[in-house]
Amino acid sequence: MTLDRTARPLARCWRCAHQARSFSISASSRLEAQQTPASESTPPPTSSSARDPNTVSTRSGERQLLREQGLQPIGSRRRRAAIATTSSIPFSQLPYQCFQEARSFLQEDRKEKLQQIQQQRDRIERLKAKQCAPQDEAHKELRLTSMRRRLDELKILADINDPMVKRRFEDGAGDMTKPIYRYLADKQWRAYKRTLLMQRITQMNVVPDVLPAIDPTVSTTLSFSGKRVQHGDFVSSLTSEKPPALDIQAYEKGEKLYTIAVVNPDVPAVQKDGYDYRCHFLASNIRLSPTSTLVRLGSLDPEQQVILSWLPAFAQKGLPYQRMSIFVFEQPKVEATENSEYRSLDVAEIKGMKKYTQRQGFKLRSFADRFSLKPVGVDLFRTQWDEYTAGVMQRAGVPGVDVEFKRKRIEPLPYQRKSSERYR
């Protein structure tokens, strides 16, 4: 068959491509896979078929999965694409030469880190068994703290590049008792959520209105009746009538004692023409750890933990929205040592102090300084007058339901006509 002049180069390229592929086994297998008839290939999933959250790897498929099945995709898109193409092969045995070579290199590096971990443990044991003078105990404890910190760093470096560890973390199956998963969770939180939280509390002047400064080291998630509340969102008075639940995720090992305070800094003080504080909740001796994070404010022990019970959030009629700030404090240790217990606050003694049992005029700064509390977490929501506020205030026994605040109108100065002689 005669080819015109323009088609001859295309024909030559086509012949060269076929001749080159005949010498390559892998390429010919791919060509055969491409030339299989459409009837033998697996039909693409239709819009009505259910999608697997482990294998969906396109944006449209993710949207369809969320819209039709109400499920979130699991893990990263790259991981889901790999599982979809190699579903019958374990993740650690994926048939990619570069992947396996990298795994073997990382395993050798991990062996070196494990040897260093064992050496560090031996050094710690030798130092603990070493006798020293009483005046050198503080220096010994400081060295032990530094060596334990280095040990945790080596544990993180041993697993930081392991793809199986990253996979379990992306799947939400990480064990928070291990340093590597606490490190990854803390890194993920600081990448965006902590920045957003600091932006909200700074923009709404929670700091320095309530506390002069704060450096959050634990993440907080607030929810009312199972519904999550974003930082700074408005919550209706009917919703906030019941005590919320607070999820406090710590990223340091061990159990600690915490104090939770909810303070409103926007209470109007008519006598001094300004604003005052009101404490809506105060509780201490709350034991939490990286694996035990949920605190239901309405389920705490009223004798050993609760100082001031929950007061619903409300704002009187005519007032602008009011900020409800939530602060989490870490209670101090009994001794300045690594394994020392945390000091429990005497709730009965605090209830006997009139200064800290009055809701109106509650100074959170004074309370934190008095008991050496360290602020480690913060959250925020807002409240305003709505159709349910009057009923909530009546049921809570709060006076001032019939009070309405109005802006005082400032009368203009009387107009005085100037003498016309000055304009002549």
Side-chain angles (χ1 to χ4, degrees), residues 205-222:
N205 296 319
V206 174
V207 174
D209 285 356
V210 184
L211 287 182
I214 186 173
D215 181 21
T217 57
V218 299
S219 60
T220 57
T221 303
L222 181 68

Side-chain angles (χ1 to χ4, degrees), residues 15 28 240 250 262 325 340 343 349 351 354 398 407 419:
R15 293 192 195 98
S28 62
S240 64
V262 182
S325 57
S340 175
R343 184 188 306 164
E349 180 183 355
K351 288 182 178 180
K354 186 178 180 181
V398 178
R407 291 185 177 273
S419 175

Side-chain angles (χ1 to χ4, degrees), residues 176 218-221 245-251 255 258 260 286-297 328:
M176 292 299 288
V218 299
S219 60
T220 57
T221 303
L246 193 63
D247 189 88
I248 303 173
Q249 179 61 66
Y251 301 105
E255 289 187 345
Y258 294 91
I260 300 176
I286 302 172
R287 191 174 298 275
L288 297 173
S289 67
T291 56
S292 176
T293 60
L294 185 62
V295 180
R296 301 187 185 275
L297 302 190
V328 181

Side-chain angles (χ1 to χ4, degrees), residues 85-98:
T85 55
T86 58
S87 58
S88 60
I89 302 175
F91 182 78
S92 59
Q93 300 177 7
L94 290 177
Y96 303 127
Q97 183 178 2
C98 181

Side-chain angles (χ1 to χ4, degrees), residues 120 124 142-156 253 338:
Q120 191 72 7
I124 292 175
L142 184 62
R143 286 189 59 192
L144 285 173
T145 302
S146 177
M147 294 173 70
R148 292 191 184 102
R149 190 181 300 113
R150 176 57 181 169
L151 179 63
D152 290 339
E153 292 177 359
L154 290 174
K155 291 179 181 179
I156 293 173
K253 65 178 181 179
E338 181 74 17

Side-chain angles (χ1 to χ4, degrees), residues 309-326:
S309 60
W310 176 257
L311 179 67
F314 63 91
Q316 290 175 289
K317 191 174 183 180
L319 293 175
Y321 71 81
Q322 297 185 5
R323 301 163 295 171
M324 302 294 297
S325 57
I326 305 173

Side-chain angles (χ1 to χ4, degrees), residues 5 16 80-81 114 157 161 171 193 195 230 255 264 291 309 401:
R5 183 172 298 178
C16 293
R80 285 181 260 119
L114 292 178
L157 292 175
N161 296 315
D171 293 348
K193 294 183 179 181
T195 306
Q230 299 293 336
E255 289 187 345
N264 181 358
T291 56
S309 60
V401 180

Side-chain angles (χ1 to χ4, degrees), residues 259-320:
T259 295
I260 300 176
V262 182
V263 178
N264 181 358
D266 298 325
V267 181
V270 182
Q271 292 79 7
K272 63 179 183 180
D273 192 21
Y275 294 94
D276 207 344
Y277 301 95
R278 182 197 299 126
C279 183
H280 285 250
F281 182 81
L282 183 62
S284 298
N285 305 330
I286 302 172
R287 191 174 298 275
L288 297 173
S289 67
T291 56
S292 176
T293 60
L294 185 62
V295 180
R296 301 187 185 275
L297 302 190
S299 302
L300 298 178
D301 188 357
E303 300 295 332
Q304 302 295 330
Q305 294 177 317
V306 179
I307 301 172
L308 291 174
S309 60
W310 176 257
L311 179 67
F314 63 91
Q316 290 175 289
K317 191 174 183 180
L319 293 175

